[in-house]
Amino acid sequence: MSETKLIYFFGDGKAEGDASMKELLGGKGANLAEMTNLGIPVPPGFTIATEVCDMFYKNNRQYPEGLNKELKDTLSKLEALMGKKLGDPKDPLLVSVRSGAAVSMPGMMDTILNLGMNDEAVEGLSKITGNPRFAWDAYRRFIQMFSNVALGMDINVFEDILEDMREKKGVENDNELSAEDLKELVGLYKIAFKGNQNEDFPQDPVIQLQAAIDAVFGSWNNPKAIKYRDINGIKALKGTAVNVQSMVFGNFGDDSGTGVCFSRDPSTGENYFYGEYLMNAQGEDVVAGIRTPAKLSELADQDEKIYGQLVDIKDKLETHYRDMQDMEFTIQQGNLFILQTRNGKRTGASAVKVAVDMAKEGLITKEEAMFRVDADQLDQLFHPMIAPKVKKTLKPLAKGLNASPGAATGKIVFTADEAELWVERGDTKVMLVRKETSPDDIGGMHVAQGILTSTGGMTSHAAVVARGMGRPCVAGCKDVVIAGKTMKVDGKEFKEGDWITIDGTTGEVFEGQVETIAPEMSEELTDFLSWADDIRLADEREGLEQKGFLVRTNADQPEDAVLARSLGAEGIGLCRTEHMFFDAGKLEHFQQMIVADTTEDRKKALSKILDLQKADFKGIFKAMSGLPVTVRLLDPPLHEFVPQTDDDIAKIAKMAGITAEALSEKIDALHEHNPMLGHRGCRLGVTYPEMYDMQVEAIITAAVEVEAEGDEVHPEIMIPLVGTWQELSILRANAEAVIAKVFDKTKKKVDYKIGTMIEIPRAALTADEVAEHADFFSFGTNDLTQMTFGFSRDDAGAFLPEYVKQGILEADPTAKLDQTGVGKLVSIAAELGRGVKSDLKLGICGEHGGEPSSIDFCYRNNLNYVSCSPFRVPIARHAAAQAVLNNK
Amino acid sequence: MSETKLIYFFGDGKAEGDASMKELLGGKGANLAEMTNLGIPVPPGFTIATEVCDMFYKNNRQYPEGLNKELKDTLSKLEALMGKKLGDPKDPLLVSVRSGAAVSMPGMMDTILNLGMNDEAVEGLSKITGNPRFAWDAYRRFIQMFSNVALGMDINVFEDILEDMREKKGVENDNELSAEDLKELVGLYKIAFKGNQNEDFPQDPVIQLQAAIDAVFGSWNNPKAIKYRDINGIKALKGTAVNVQSMVFGNFGDDSGTGVCFSRDPSTGENYFYGEYLMNAQGEDVVAGIRTPAKLSELADQDEKIYGQLVDIKDKLETHYRDMQDMEFTIQQGNLFILQTRNGKRTGASAVKVAVDMAKEGLITKEEAMFRVDADQLDQLFHPMIAPKVKKTLKPLAKGLNASPGAATGKIVFTADEAELWVERGDTKVMLVRKETSPDDIGGMHVAQGILTSTGGMTSHAAVVARGMGRPCVAGCKDVVIAGKTMKVDGKEFKEGDWITIDGTTGEVFEGQVETIAPEMSEELTDFLSWADDIRLADEREGLEQKGFLVRTNADQPEDAVLARSLGAEGIGLCRTEHMFFDAGKLEHFQQMIVADTTEDRKKALSKILDLQKADFKGIFKAMSGLPVTVRLLDPPLHEFVPQTDDDIAKIAKMAGITAEALSEKIDALHEHNPMLGHRGCRLGVTYPEMYDMQVEAIITAAVEVEAEGDEVHPEIMIPLVGTWQELSILRANAEAVIAKVFDKTKKKVDYKIGTMIEIPRAALTADEVAEHADFFSFGTNDLTQMTFGFSRDDAGAFLPEYVKQGILEADPTAKLDQTGVGKLVSIAAELGRGVKSDLKLGICGEHGGEPSSIDFCYRNNLNYVSCSPFRVPIARHAAAQAVLNNK
């Protein structure tokens, strides 16, 4: 006999294992043991430890010596407890066999039920239950599962036979087949088995059991499981355990039944025992929906005793696991069994309410409450959604990327101009449908209810801008084919003015007008977020002067700033200025500036924008009174601003006093092969200093004026796309000269900072040099990710989905910061920067600033704040609190 | 009196300083002292040390206490030695004042000559020389230089007065003005001076001297000098010295004269005393070319004694400085003075011959010889050039970038197809003139004598490919305007068939057919390179198994490989395979593969290319028998290969069995916003594995066949554009499966390696992970530079020149590796990679592999080899030897 214990028994109120032994018993085994120890009536059984799997592979697929004996002994113990024997022709013990490692792992063997069935046992079961149909059905299911799951036979072999039988009998559903039919089916299944395996279907339950155990251990090293472990970096595990558990049946008669229940309402979170059950039924019947299950409260009337037991168990399990439980139970001939308990899945509203209630009840701490809600759940609460009941009835037309959350319904328009026109004339509910959007479309995007694009990824222009605006957006919806003023999806044609509905949270597109429900800020949600704030604001990190981990917002317009502040933003981390140039009254002057030949002409055109831009900044500064506002100077290449249509070209040419042809030539000259890697950002500032000078003048004059009007202002001027310290040094000097002039002229001063975006790999690598000239760094991880990976988000659609599918990338790195590669640059830059300037302010303003795992990374790298779009601010506040707790 | 010695005297055969005291005396002062000590007749003088400059600035622009006295004493010593006194009305001492720091530095004060002149001294000088014209000219020059250089007056004030005088006197040249005219001019100059300075022109020579010294020290901190030091990272210097030296004149009469001479022939390197001189003349007269100077050999006849002295001095200086000397001398009234000696500028041929001769003479070591030739000089010797005599007579039409060295002359053609047509019909001398080139143009580029493009930078397609082929190329020549089949330059129109000539070494473009001379491999050149090989091949680096620092070549075709091997290449570091697809017979099949819908169709199309590609590889393997050949799998995005014209589209559509419209749609779908960051490199390998499979099969089958035919083959398969280890892992597994099949089928094996290009920042940052799956890394610094800087070489033309001009970048980083930023990634990757795999082979195959400073960097980072285009191989061999010596 082996020295090591290999098998752990559970049953009759005590188990040899417990929840702490996941490593050895797997998650499932440890949990069954735990429940047994709690006195919960769990069908007895045993777990073959993961160490057996380890030994099996280390010893050239040989089981450890003592296993056989230990298995025999434990099986006897189980039989004794159950008063039944495996293969007993009169009253057979049936068991289930399941795999279960310490972490859940797709690719491994799933479940075999009813093991122990054979030609004799089926007869015994028929008699003892008085239900031959039940017995034969159990047998044929066992043959099917065993052959497929344990021996790898094609499931379709059996499905086809079943199908033929249904046809022959002229029935539609399996449950219309009689006992005789099923018996015939078992005969056919056995023939098919022999045809495939060259031997009879095994009748000896011990052989069945051994084969099932072999299958579980064998599945540990099948290619899918290996690949899964490889990709997810799972290395330390010993192997899988095997759980063998006695079967119970809820379809033994009218004193039997089955159900599922939740310790609190999974939709609303209310503390109410919620569930459904069916008497004389199996678990799958509840799910299949052929019979309508009863509400759990009815069980109280029907069987007070059982209901009482169930309530006790529910209370015990919730208290024990300290979370809302989702339980499956079976009543077999008046005896209650719990087959499973797990933390219940829940809606966002429920998650928040359960967490806050439980913390208030003292069941969990406020800190624990933070981990009871995830970002997606929280996000649901800040966007309109399609009412869940309505949604159930809908079939999506198409599915794209869930680019910006929330549901929206509107009439289709195909251009941004149309969108604006329709809204102006009172047709306010429009849905902007485009192949892709460009900065030109901002106005139309702003007035639209939502945006649907047929190309582009999660960080395409449409997606980024929509998230910034809080506009629902489905992007890259390839099934949508747009041609002129029609859109074809799935064979249907839609015209301008037709209604469609999008769900930006899921990426779905629906036909017609669908009712959406508005988000609401519950009392629990307010509590929840204020707890999160308490945690993150009280935090102190070693070597960092600033207390707390702050959340700013990316906002370009006063109304966005107001919204973000109401959602908890502690400043603006990124105010893009390019959108300002697209406003009527500014674009024309800016276009003239672009096509001007001399510095003088450029200055003249810019001077016309100065006051208008100053007014924009004043609105933002007022909205953020008392808080810092980081303004990024102009970033995109100039060709994004040039006139596109012949009319516009003619108009601008006339204003500039040149011919339309000459203007067209100038526009052609601005064309770039790789605009992302072209003449933009601070490169414009170096070659056309007057442009940045104008912007700095507008920012600082606005700041001075707003302070004079009684608000406190902290402008932070951010120079984009810096790759060398020299660029920053030159542009900082230029900016400071302009600022000095403004102070001189107004006889007033304001507090200001000048810093840079770290978005070029070289800037990160030489951050010590760059930091000498910067008051702050803001990590622009959108561009940094694209340049570090060497792909453009606009083009990566051709291979990125395949990369994620093949597991080359765990996630789209434009959505979730790649901590290994891009993150390394962030770490390098943070360290080098702080190395020369310990009080260097660090933040992030890429899209990752609103993504929880990235926020955690930012915390660990000692960033002062994260910045994200207004609607992500609450999610970031929560994730920031989680980060603080995670790293304690 | 100050404790420190502040002023260092030189004269009468001995000096207080010497050449080792550059830090203290500046380069010029130390050299004048050195020559004096050698007994060379140098006009006596003294040097005010750099420490005075340091003290001056440290002490709030106050001179150290003792300076005045020391200056007075040293001046007296000089006057005593010269037998003349500063300001003596009878025989005045005149001096020059010059700045001079330890390193040469633009922006600092230049030279003031004839200091000591005043209203009395001019009369004395007139009398003593009997040459009033000389005296007055010296005076007016002094006023002009002093006012401008020391006091910052506008030089044009004086030039305008001089111009007026010439007009008034009706003469063309200054030397036609009489003594009286010049006297009048002095009067006018003094009035102008007073007008500007509000005081009379200083008559006291001591005041003049003090002002000149003030000006030199002041110039140390003028903005231009500060900026220069800033940009060039010059920090440790104390300041500038001031050199005061007595004047000598070669125009004192017929016993006076002046000349320049070289200790060996600067054109050919022959050991022959070469020079020119003029009697009764000043240095600038020799340069100005108004009188024709005599050959130095004539001086032997004219004045044997002086000539003998000069030869002695020449021998002494060459032996002392151990290099060919460029000397300036003046004979004043029968006395020889050496005004300057420096290492002489020379042609490439001369540099090599002088270095090799001197090493053979024992004057220098072979190691020292390596540093006597620079890369540009060496490069000259491997390309045809316009004969220097002819070139003098030509005026360039336009100037572009010197993209690929060598001169070429040919008839203009405007398309690659025309180039091929013309050459086929026997018109072999064509010059391909294009806006820019694309992979489609390879054929035409190959047959052309040279390439001229109007757009694109040093690493544009045209430039890179031309360098690879050794074809002369002038790129980005903006003055050339191409429209259809005409080219306009500088107002002139050129048509197809007109002759032009380009000089790719200088970037110049000339009208008409110009004679070029072919390169020749001299005996000295052969010796020189074999010495370089001895040095680099014997080198052993710590922690590196491989002995020596190797040079490979980038070659895509057998003939390039043969050429490179003849130039010393030790293998191929980069064989690009995309060019192979453009060949007739392959492109069509490849295009069919691109537009195919299914894997099956793609495989069918690829199978047609397999044998053709195998033949390409066989040729290359044979040419490189015994040496490693790194083959890069397909890299460019597929849209580079699609048919462009309607005819081609129709043809390919027909072959593929689809409509031209359908094909056009497919082609449109391949369009990318940022092709550089798009679907290319290993991303193609991941999404279309059959493409790489075909290439691997062709490579390995070729290798097996070539070995069977008796040659030794070491193929190295390189996967491009890897950003994650997962990509490499998958593609390596795919390649190994194909290789196993080939070995199986042929029953033969060859030695092979699989590795990756490190050209994506992320790959460098995660090189430890990547190295686990790689046998070698080859740094693709072209793309790595672009991605690390975040600019595309195709678009950077809009700002890069401005960046270099403003000193933001020291050099174009696509030409010279940016060691600070991009280099950091290379270092990180090399360290991480070798950290997990100590025998990981490291090389570089970007353009930088042929650039000396980058080669030095590669050596320091323990790379095994560099790889460059065939014609750069000798340059790299030399630079590699220099790197070995530099880092000893």
Side-chain angles (χ1 to χ4, degrees), chain B residues 595-867:
Chain B
V595 302
D597 271 326
T598 67
T599 308
E600 270 324 294
D601 285 352
R602 275 196 295 273
K603 281 190 181 167
K604 226 162 72 187
L606 285 169
S607 71
K608 292 180 186 151
I609 310 176
L610 179 65
D611 281 341
L612 298 165
Q613 185 141 86
K614 191 187 75 184
D616 293 329
F617 290 129
K618 284 183 76 171
I620 288 170
F621 289 148
K622 276 179 188 289
M624 281 288 161
S625 177
L627 297 175
V629 175
T630 306
V631 182
R632 180 178 71 181
L633 301 186
L634 195 72
D635 182 59
L638 297 182
H639 49 75
E640 286 194 8
F641 300 93
V642 295
Q644 304 286 350
T645 66
D646 286 350
D647 280 359
D648 285 346
I649 290 174
K651 190 167 131 198
I652 299 300
K654 201 177 161 193
M655 286 174 72
I658 56 175
T659 66
E661 275 150 31
L663 179 56
S664 291
E665 261 177 42
K666 275 170 190 275
I667 292 172
D668 283 349
L670 289 173
H671 165 80
E672 297 191 304
H673 294 85
N674 295 286
M676 182 167 178
L677 304 176
H679 193 188
R680 67 184 192 95
C682 72
R683 296 161 192 171
L684 294 171
V686 169
T687 47
Y688 305 117
E690 54 280 2
M691 215 149 58
Y692 275 14
D693 285 354
M694 180 279 285
Q695 290 201 297
V696 171
E697 188 178 345
I699 293 165
I700 297 296
T701 312
V704 165
E705 292 182 10
V706 169
E707 283 220 335
E709 291 162 20
D711 285 300
E712 192 189 323
V713 192
H714 301 285
E716 303 183 337
I717 295 169
M718 179 151 74
I719 316 272
L721 216 73
V722 159
T724 67
W725 65 262
Q726 288 92 339
E727 292 165 317
L728 186 58
S729 158
I730 288 174
L731 295 172
R732 182 182 186 114
N734 289 355
E736 284 180 336
V738 172
I739 292 170
K741 258 192 237 163
V742 173
F743 287 171
D744 224 45
K745 196 170 142 194
T746 58
K747 310 273 176 245
K748 290 202 178 79
K749 286 192 178 192
V750 291
D751 168 54
Y752 70 89
K753 286 189 164 57
I754 298 177
T756 181
M757 217 151 156
I758 301 286
E759 54 187 331
I760 297 266
R762 195 181 184 281
L765 290 162
T766 60
D768 43 351
E769 296 177 353
V770 177
E772 302 270 13
H773 307 269
D775 303 324
F776 64 87
F777 284 171
S778 177
F779 289 99
T781 48
N782 289 358
D783 276 12
L784 190 62
T785 295
Q786 295 178 77
M787 292 186 191
T788 306
F789 270 95
F791 61 66
S792 127
R793 64 190 187 194
D794 294 322
D795 301 309
F799 54 89
L800 220 50
E802 186 66 25
Y803 267 45
V804 174
K805 199 175 126 201
Q806 290 199 27
I808 293 174
L809 295 171
E810 192 198 335
D812 178 347
T814 63
K816 197 168 173 175
L817 186 72
D818 159 50
Q819 299 185 15
T820 317
V822 182
K824 196 166 193 172
L825 281 182
V826 173
S827 300
I828 287 174
E831 255 175 60
L832 288 177
R834 286 262 170 79
V836 301
K837 201 175 267 185
S838 65
D839 63 344
L840 187 74
K841 216 174 191 183
L842 300 179
I844 184 174
C845 63
E847 289 276 313
H848 303 100
E851 193 281 319
S853 73
S854 313
I855 292 173
D856 191 82
F857 176 86
C858 292
Y859 177 85
R860 279 183 276 122
N861 281 274
N862 278 332
L863 266 59
N864 298 81
Y865 67 87
V866 297
S867 185

Side-chain angles (χ1 to χ4, degrees), chain A residues 183-250:
Chain A
K183 190 172 174 178
E184 194 183 337
L185 203 61
V186 163
L188 295 172
Y189 274 16
K190 287 199 288 188
I191 293 169
F193 183 92
K194 190 166 185 179
N196 184 280
Q197 298 281 320
N198 282 327
E199 56 184 18
D200 288 324
F201 186 80
Q203 292 292 317
D204 182 347
V206 174
I207 289 177
Q208 292 173 359
L209 182 59
Q210 190 59 55
I213 292 170
D214 290 351
V216 172
F217 286 134
S219 72
W220 173 254
N221 268 352
N222 78 29
K224 206 171 144 195
I226 290 176
K227 192 166 179 194
Y228 181 85
R229 288 198 296 272
D230 201 25
I231 288 168
N232 291 279
I234 300 174
K235 281 176 187 167
L237 292 191
K238 287 191 166 162
T240 180
V242 182
N243 297 293
V244 178
Q245 193 177 16
S246 51
M247 294 287 304
V248 288
F249 298 93

Side-chain angles (χ1 to χ4, degrees), chain A residues 19-38:
Chain A
S20 71
M21 294 162 75
K22 274 193 179 170
E23 187 97 349
L24 190 65
L25 304 181
K28 197 171 286 158
N31 207 32
L32 287 167
E34 183 80 5
M35 280 206 288
T36 304
N37 284 330
L38 283 173

Side-chain angles (χ1 to χ4, degrees), chain B residues 145-184:
Chain B
M145 260 192 262
F146 181 85
S147 307
N148 169 245
V149 174
L151 302 180
M153 274 183 69
D154 189 343
I155 189 82
N156 289 319
V157 172
F158 301 102
E159 293 292 348
D160 289 350
I161 295 172
L162 181 59
E163 170 79 37
D164 289 347
M165 180 65 74
R166 280 197 303 262
E167 263 180 37
K168 190 173 135 195
K169 301 295 170 185
V171 303
E172 250 184 65
N173 291 313
D174 298 351
N175 60 357
E176 295 171 62
L177 294 174
S178 68
E180 275 310 305
D181 298 340
L182 292 165
K183 190 174 174 178
E184 194 183 337

Side-chain angles (χ1 to χ4, degrees), chain A residues 215-328:
Chain A
V216 172
F217 286 134
S219 72
W220 173 254
N221 268 352
N222 78 29
K224 206 171 144 195
I226 290 176
K227 192 166 179 194
Y228 181 85
R229 288 198 296 272
D230 201 25
I231 288 168
N232 291 279
I234 300 174
K235 281 176 187 167
L237 292 191
K238 287 191 166 162
T240 180
V242 182
N243 297 293
V244 178
Q245 193 177 16
S246 51
M247 294 287 304
V248 288
F249 298 93
N251 53 350
F252 250 117
D254 290 339
D255 57 350
S256 299
T258 190
V260 292
C261 54
F262 289 82
S263 62
R264 304 191 184 209
D265 188 325
S267 296
T268 64
E270 268 177 275
N271 194 346
Y272 162 81
F273 194 17
Y274 173 95
E276 290 178 332
Y277 74 103
L278 268 176
M279 293 312 282
N280 196 10
Q282 277 194 305
E284 53 195 39
D285 299 332
V286 180
V287 181
I290 295 163
R291 285 162 58 197
T292 305
K295 281 194 182 160
L296 194 62
S297 52
E298 290 174 31
L299 185 62
D301 303 328
Q302 197 172 1
D303 190 333
E304 202 178 337
K305 189 183 127 237
I306 289 282
Y307 183 74
Q309 282 176 14
L310 195 57
V311 169
D312 287 348
I313 289 170
K314 178 238 354 173
D315 288 343
K316 195 182 240 176
L317 285 173
E318 190 181 91
T319 308
H320 183 72
Y321 286 104
R322 303 167 70 242
D323 199 356
M324 187 252 277
Q325 294 300 298
D326 165 3
M327 295 153 287
E328 288 176 24

Side-chain angles (χ1 to χ4, degrees), chain A residues 227 230-231 436 671-680 682-684 686-687 721 723-727 729-730 760-769 786-796 798-799 802-803 806-809 818 820-822 824-825 828 832, chain B residues 227 230-231 436 671-680 682-684 686-687 721 723-727 729-730 760-769 786-796 798-799 802-803 806-809 818 820-822 824-825 828 832:
Chain A
K227 192 166 179 194
D230 201 25
I231 288 168
E436 56 192 348
H671 166 80
E672 297 191 303
H673 294 85
N674 295 285
M676 198 186 153
L677 304 176
H679 193 187
R680 66 183 192 96
C682 72
R683 297 160 191 172
L684 294 171
V686 168
T687 47
L721 216 73
T724 67
W725 66 263
Q726 289 92 338
E727 292 165 317
S729 158
I730 288 174
I760 297 265
R762 193 181 186 282
L765 291 162
T766 61
D768 44 351
E769 296 178 353
Q786 295 177 78
M787 293 187 189
T788 305
F789 270 95
F791 62 64
S792 126
R793 63 191 187 192
D794 294 322
D795 302 308
F799 54 89
E802 185 67 25
Y803 267 44
Q806 290 198 25
I808 293 174
L809 295 171
D818 159 50
T820 318
V822 181
K824 197 166 192 172
L825 280 181
I828 288 174
L832 289 177
Chain B
K227 191 168 178 191
D230 201 23
I231 289 168
E436 57 193 346
H671 165 80
E672 297 191 304
H673 294 85
N674 295 286
M676 182 167 178
L677 304 176
H679 193 188
R680 67 184 192 95
C682 72
R683 296 161 192 171
L684 294 171
V686 169
T687 47
L721 216 73
T724 67
W725 65 262
Q726 288 92 339
E727 292 165 317
S729 158
I730 288 174
I760 297 266
R762 195 181 184 281
L765 290 162
T766 60
D768 43 351
E769 296 177 353
Q786 295 178 77
M787 292 186 191
T788 306
F789 270 95
F791 61 66
S792 127
R793 64 190 187 194
D794 294 322
D795 301 309
F799 54 89
E802 186 66 25
Y803 267 45
Q806 290 199 27
I808 293 174
L809 295 171
D818 159 50
T820 317
V822 182
K824 196 166 193 172
L825 281 182
I828 287 174
L832 288 177

